[in-house]
Amino acid sequence: MITVDFTLFPVGPGNRVLDLGCGGGRHAFEIYRRGADVVAFDQNENDLADVATMFTAMRSEGEAPGGAEAETVKGDALDMPFDDASFDRVVAAEIMEHIPHDTAAMAELYRVLKPGGIAAVTVPSWLPERICWALSEEYHTNEGGHIRIYTRAELEAKLKATGFEIGPHHHAHALHAPYWWIKCAVGTDNDTHPLASAYHRMLVWDMFTSPRVTRIAERLLNPLIGKSVVVYLRKPRGEGAG
């Protein structure tokens, strides 16, 4: 499930791209398929092992151009083991809401991005997330869970204060918002509830078939209840590390 729009975040051969907080690697895999060199960065060793396995499988199956490189790196988003201006692009998808010192993470993101480079930052949208918090305390009190709800204005203000130029934005995954509302209402670990199970089957069907009717519905609903908001940024040219 890709959140970033690669027409607004172009990557390809010759680009070095950081997937910050890569998790299961969904964006890293797409970046690799597009021929860019990608670094999947996370603090979870198990996730990184799975991502590395997938990179190997993609190489063996010819799913990425021969000249592209892909690697995994373990570390802390507040103190990344990369030189200043190391990357042409950075993705930070659904990570800032987990980090207590989010502005410090934003400063690190700015530091490792080259002047003129582009970043894409995604977080849960305010309204769908507020409903989840209202329905379930468990949803936002689990260890490692979401610790804040951003408005887009707040997110952009923090990124602008870091030094970024703010670009376009959009919302994504409107069809996923009701699923999480159902999960929060019946129990976040209750995967066998009939309503939650049925909705999940629909999402899987939609992911693999992409029928026109659901694509149109999601496009219309995204501005209203899109589960994620994506903000695109640029580091000003001629600037060094933040």
Side-chain angles (χ1 to χ4, degrees):
M1 185 178 70
I2 301 298
T3 306
V4 170
D5 182 345
F6 283 93
T7 63
L8 298 172
F9 187 77
V11 301
N15 294 143
R16 187 172 188 236
V17 186
L18 174 66
D19 186 359
L20 172 57
C22 66
R26 57 198 172 105
H27 287 102
F29 302 146
E30 181 62 25
I31 292 163
Y32 190 32
R33 286 189 188 98
R34 289 170 180 263
D37 297 336
V38 61
V39 177
F41 182 83
D42 207 288
Q43 62 181 359
N44 187 309
E45 291 183 346
N46 292 330
D47 283 347
L48 289 176
D50 291 341
V51 171
T53 298
M54 180 59 75
F55 283 154
T56 300
M58 291 175 69
R59 278 191 289 269
S60 65
E61 294 296 324
E63 290 189 33
E69 298 182 356
E71 64 175 311
T72 60
V73 176
K74 182 180 183 294
D76 185 345
L78 303 184
D79 185 21
M80 290 190 281
F82 307 117
D83 292 337
D84 296 354
S86 294
F87 296 95
D88 303 287
R89 306 279 189 270
V90 178
V91 174
E94 312 294 302
I95 179 175
M96 294 299 173
E97 69 275 12
H98 295 275
I99 301 176
H101 302 295
D102 60 339
T103 54
M106 292 173 187
E108 270 292 89
L109 191 162
Y110 187 91
R111 180 185 68 80
V112 301
L113 186 63
K114 293 179 180 179
I118 301 171
V121 175
T122 93
V123 298
S125 300
W126 183 86
L127 179 59
E129 187 75 350
R130 177 59 68 187
I131 293 172
C132 285
W133 282 45
L135 289 171
S136 172
E137 182 176 353
E138 180 186 19
Y139 173 84
H140 64 94
T141 56
N142 285 336
E143 184 178 355
H146 300 181
I147 63 172
R148 71 175 61 80
I149 303 176
Y150 291 99
T151 64
R152 179 171 61 85
E154 177 190 3
L155 177 64
E156 290 182 344
K158 287 185 173 184
L159 291 164
K160 185 175 181 179
T162 303
F164 285 106
E165 297 172 349
I166 307 300
H169 73 274
H170 62 83
H171 292 78
H173 311 315
L175 295 183
H176 288 253
Y179 173 70
W180 282 103
W181 298 339
I182 293 168
K183 290 274 287 180
C184 287
V186 305
T188 56
D189 293 327
N190 189 358
D191 295 327
T192 60
H193 188 278
L195 188 55
S197 178
Y199 201 102
H200 183 264
R201 288 196 299 273
M202 186 278 290
L203 290 177
V204 172
W205 167 78
D206 178 63
M207 188 179 303
F208 282 99
T209 61
S210 296
R212 186 167 180 267
V213 62
T214 59
R215 296 305 89 221
I216 293 172
E218 187 157 70
R219 187 165 62 248
L220 293 173
L221 290 171
N222 272 339
L224 302 173
I225 60 167
K227 185 71 170 65
S228 299
V229 60
V230 190
V231 176
Y232 299 89
L233 319 156
R234 186 180 296 275
K235 182 173 180 175
R237 296 186 183 277
E239 295 207 10

